[in-house]
Amino acid sequence: MEFLKWKVEEGVAIVTIARPPANALSGGLIAEINELLDAVENDDAVRVLVLHGEGRFFSAGADIKEFTDVATGEEFAKLSNHGQVVFERVETFPKPVIAAIHGAALGGGLELAMSCHMRFVTEKAKLGLPELQLGIIPGFGGTQRLPRYVGVAKAAEMMFTSDPISGIEAVQWGLANRAFAEETLLEETLKLAKKIAKKSPIALKTTIETLQYAKPASFHEGIQAEAASFGTVFVTEDAKEGIQAFIEKREPVFTGK
């Protein structure tokens, strides 16, 4: 694969996102995540997956430059839905998937992490959904998953302000399981993953299936509405201004059009 590296240790597939400089989630990278799931789903040597980022970030978000190649609201909605389908596959995958988050997990990067079954973070990690500062909205399930972990009010605060929270805050808010020092994050995550890998594969699979009933009944309707809204917002003048400002590294000027 071009953007993913992986190896297996004691039943744990250690998967590294390697798309420098910020491990941005391109369409190609999302497709590779789906290919990886195909490769390990029926591999008895893999009991648990650990996903982490190479370099300074887990993933700083979607590849904004790819958005400039999309023209219509329908195309943006389709792009959103593609990511949603792959991330929902992560969430319902029959083997536990754990995110080990250091540096930044922003936008699509956090949406990917939220689709994992557990999240371990560094104390100084930055987690957030900053899409509104670009004049757009989260499009890979963020508007639906974040409220499940932190509640509607805190999710609204994170999205409205675009301000990230620290790894310590993520644990306090219920978004992450545990926080570790950066130098021990992967070691501690693998220790827990290898402990889980010794459990019955049937029991793990059945637990994951049963956990899906904890989702609100409207979840699927919610992500479909998110994809449609993502397409609607993306063709506004504000979205064009926000994305252009991001590329030009300046403050956007929104007009409400």
Side-chain angles (χ1 to χ4, degrees):
M1 294 183 180
E2 185 177 359
F3 305 122
L4 294 179
K5 304 174 184 177
W6 60 290
K7 61 181 179 179
V8 180
E9 288 184 9
E10 299 177 41
V12 178
I14 306 166
V15 184
T16 305
I17 303 171
R19 189 171 185 262
N23 297 327
L25 295 176
S26 63
L29 175 49
I30 291 173
E32 284 192 7
I33 293 171
N34 198 46
E35 291 174 25
L36 172 76
L37 298 180
D38 286 339
V40 302
E41 184 166 3
N42 296 310
D43 185 345
D44 292 338
V46 175
R47 301 286 186 86
V48 179
L49 287 77
V50 170
L51 186 62
H52 74 116
E54 186 175 76
R56 297 187 298 116
F57 302 100
F58 177 78
S59 171
D63 189 340
I64 300 298
K65 291 181 180 178
E66 283 195 351
F67 294 157
T68 61
D69 298 327
V70 183
T72 69
E74 290 78 10
E75 290 174 321
F76 279 115
K78 186 176 180 180
L79 182 153
S80 172
N81 189 247
H82 171 65
Q84 289 175 345
V85 168
V86 175
F87 290 4
E88 188 164 13
R89 187 179 178 199
V90 173
E91 187 171 49
T92 60
F93 199 64
K95 301 178 181 185
V97 185
I98 303 170
I101 302 170
H102 72 290
L106 302 174
L110 180 57
E111 289 173 299
L112 171 60
M114 287 193 294
S115 72
C116 297
H117 301 115
M118 293 187 290
R119 284 153 297 285
F120 299 120
V121 297
T122 63
E123 296 165 348
K124 296 180 179 180
K126 296 297 182 185
L127 294 82
L129 295 178
E131 285 86 351
L132 267 70
Q133 70 183 13
L134 303 181
I136 59 175
I137 67 170
F140 292 153
T143 65
Q144 304 303 300
R145 287 193 178 91
L146 186 60
R148 287 166 46 195
Y149 294 119
V150 305
V152 173
K154 287 187 180 298
E157 178 184 341
M158 287 179 67
M159 288 186 280
F160 290 171
T161 65
S162 299
D163 294 335
I165 61 174
S166 70
I168 294 293
E169 290 173 308
V171 173
Q172 293 171 342
W173 289 21
L175 182 54
N177 296 73
R178 305 185 194 187
F180 300 107
E182 184 160 359
E183 60 270 19
T184 64
L185 172 67
L186 194 55
E187 176 187 352
E188 294 292 344
T189 302
L190 290 176
K191 187 186 301 182
L192 288 162
K194 290 173 182 178
K195 179 179 181 179
I196 294 168
K198 294 178 181 178
K199 299 291 191 294
S200 160
I202 297 173
L204 289 170
K205 177 177 182 291
T206 304
T207 300
I208 291 168
E209 290 172 348
T210 308
L211 282 171
Q212 303 313 309
Y213 291 97
K215 292 181 183 179
S218 61
F219 179 78
H220 291 284
E221 294 177 4
I223 59 173
Q224 291 300 315
E226 180 188 86
S229 298
F230 188 79
T232 299
V233 168
F234 246 100
V235 293
T236 63
E237 293 300 319
D238 276 355
K240 294 174 185 176
E241 163 63 11
I243 292 169
Q244 192 62 36
F246 176 84
I247 292 171
E248 295 174 0
K249 302 186 186 307
R250 60 175 174 81
E251 286 292 319
V253 179
F254 296 126
T255 61
K257 298 180 181 179

